[in-house]
């Protein structure tokens, strides 16, 4: 018995099985997935900041000017990202309305 692997079939990338043609790159899907990651990240940061500020307030420590200012800035950034998402969805809906049937 030999410990060698059998040779890879010709035409198969990286020694795997041959694949069919790749689907074309979908820009809209890429943009929406990227925006979903950005929105989830912003929501995570906002939740973390709100949790830290809430924990400080419950512990009786002075919250000061940092927490309210930070939460306002994070909320403004989150709102602008949601506005961008709505604009992209509206633009995508307008381009679909203008297309002739069957495209």
């Amino acid at each position: 018995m030999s410990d060698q692997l059998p040779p890879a079939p010709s035409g198969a990338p990286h020694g795997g099985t041959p694949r069919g043609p790749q689907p074309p790159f979908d820009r809209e899907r890429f943009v929406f997935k990227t925006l979903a990651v950005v929105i989830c990240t912003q929501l995570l940061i906002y939740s973390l900041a709100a949790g830290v500020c809430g924990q400080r307030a419950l512990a009786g420590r002075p919250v000061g000017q940092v927490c309210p200012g930070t939460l306002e800035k994070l909320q403004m950034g989150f709102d602008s990202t949601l506005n961008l998402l709505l604009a992209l969805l509206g633009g995508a809906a307008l381009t679909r309305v203008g297309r002739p049937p069957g495209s």
Side-chain angles (χ1 to χ4, degrees):
M1 295 210 118
S2 173
D3 289 339
Q4 294 179 350
L5 295 173
S10 62
H14 307 293
T17 58
R19 296 186 202 169
Q22 294 278 339
F25 180 70
D26 190 2
R27 287 182 301 188
E28 289 178 359
R29 182 174 291 218
F30 174 75
V31 168
F32 287 132
K33 284 185 178 183
T34 303
L35 274 174
V37 169
V38 169
I39 288 171
C40 289
T41 304
Q42 284 183 336
L43 190 60
L44 178 68
I45 291 171
Y46 183 78
S47 300
L48 181 65
V52 168
C53 289
Q55 186 178 16
R56 286 185 69 178
L58 288 176
R61 288 187 250 160
V63 177
Q65 295 296 322
V66 175
C67 283
T70 302
L71 292 178
E72 286 175 11
K73 287 181 183 179
L74 287 171
Q75 184 178 5
M76 287 180 2
F78 189 69
D79 288 343
S80 67
T81 303
L82 288 178
N83 289 339
L84 174 64
L85 178 62
L86 288 174
L88 285 171
L89 286 172
L94 287 176
T95 57
R96 288 199 176 112
V97 168
R99 289 183 185 164
S103 331

